[in-house]
Amino acid sequence: MDRFYKQMLQNNRDWVQRKLSEDPNYFTKLAKGQKPPLLWIGCADSRVPANQIIDAPPGEVFVHRNIANMVIHTDMNMLSVLDYAVNVLHIKHVVVCGHYGCGGVQAAMGNQSFGLIDNWIRHIKNIYRLHKEELDNIEDEKERFDRFVEINVIEQVYDLAKTSIVQNAWRNGEDLMLHGWAYGVDTGIVKDLNVNIANQSQLDETYQLRI
Ligand code: CO
């Protein structure tokens, strides 16, 4: 095995020792169960690790990550995570966290083919088409890219609100709020995009389900 691989396992042992020296019951306490207040839907990008960015300890964040932090309503993986988080864990906040410089979003701005992933990226292309006027009017390419990252996050937050899972939760009086963030890989700073959805009336009528 190479050095990197061995080092990962060694790092784990070191971390366990460190944690136990701070609190001998650290892991036995965690083993009792989880009650995270937050569901994080983020990009798979290695530079955007959910817990580290918000300095959250184990047990605080329920995490789902995929390429370009997408909420695709036929994605059983995403739906299962969302359903469990909302209906079993009763989490209070869902954050969709995108990031500037996102390769998935960048791919959607261009026409190059990357293979199978083109089919995933196409969901992001649909967002571009929806906001083509605003985006095409931004002359600076970097600025356009940054804005597209933000718009994509906002659309994913709305896509969460459109799910039967979230609308059911609101109907049942659950205190559930959806948010959108954009993370700066080059600054470490999270920008709150101020898209906070907490009830059905914030949705276009087309998507409001009578439950
Ligand atoms: Co990304």
Side-chain angles (χ1 to χ4, degrees), residues 137-178:
N137 272 323
I138 305 172
E139 272 185 39
D140 184 82
E141 201 172 321
K142 162 96 169 43
E143 252 175 67
R144 189 163 70 241
F145 183 12
D146 286 352
R147 183 59 191 149
F148 189 21
V149 163
E150 294 175 355
I151 284 174
N152 184 48
V153 168
I154 292 164
E155 286 290 345
Q156 303 319 306
V157 175
Y158 276 95
D159 282 343
L160 275 174
K162 291 170 196 169
T163 64
S164 57
I165 297 167
V166 167
Q167 293 194 43
N168 253 307
W170 285 333
R171 173 66 206 242
N172 295 334
E174 291 269 354
D175 185 18
L176 176 66
M177 200 177 239
L178 316 176

Side-chain angles (χ1 to χ4, degrees), residues 43 45 99 102-103:
C43 184
D45 193 302
H99 66 101
C102 183

Side-chain angles (χ1 to χ4, degrees), residues 84-183:
Y84 190 78
V86 169
N87 291 316
V88 179
L89 298 174
H90 300 284
I91 50 115
K92 299 287 174 213
H93 300 273
V94 186
V95 164
V96 176
C97 184
H99 66 101
Y100 299 109
C102 183
V105 173
Q106 190 169 34
M109 286 175 80
N111 293 89
Q112 196 189 324
S113 169
F114 295 93
L116 179 139
I117 201 179
D118 297 342
N119 301 288
W120 185 258
I121 300 298
R122 221 185 73 198
H123 293 292
I124 318 172
K125 283 186 173 287
N126 291 342
I127 308 288
Y128 196 100
R129 191 171 58 128
L130 209 55
H131 297 270
K132 196 171 171 46
E133 207 178 300
E134 178 187 343
L135 290 166
D136 279 354
N137 272 323
I138 305 172
E139 272 185 39
D140 184 82
E141 201 172 321
K142 162 96 169 43
E143 252 175 67
R144 189 163 70 241
F145 183 12
D146 286 352
R147 183 59 191 149
F148 189 21
V149 163
E150 294 175 355
I151 284 174
N152 184 48
V153 168
I154 292 164
E155 286 290 345
Q156 303 319 306
V157 175
Y158 276 95
D159 282 343
L160 275 174
K162 291 170 196 169
T163 64
S164 57
I165 297 167
V166 167
Q167 293 194 43
N168 253 307
W170 285 333
R171 173 66 206 242
N172 295 334
E174 291 269 354
D175 185 18
L176 176 66
M177 200 177 239
L178 316 176
H179 315 271
W181 293 356
Y183 175 73

Side-chain angles (χ1 to χ4, degrees), residues 12-23:
N12 167 254
R13 300 295 184 273
D14 295 347
W15 174 71
V16 169
Q17 281 315 311
R18 229 169 32 243
K19 285 294 172 191
L20 290 176
S21 69
E22 290 161 12
D23 177 1

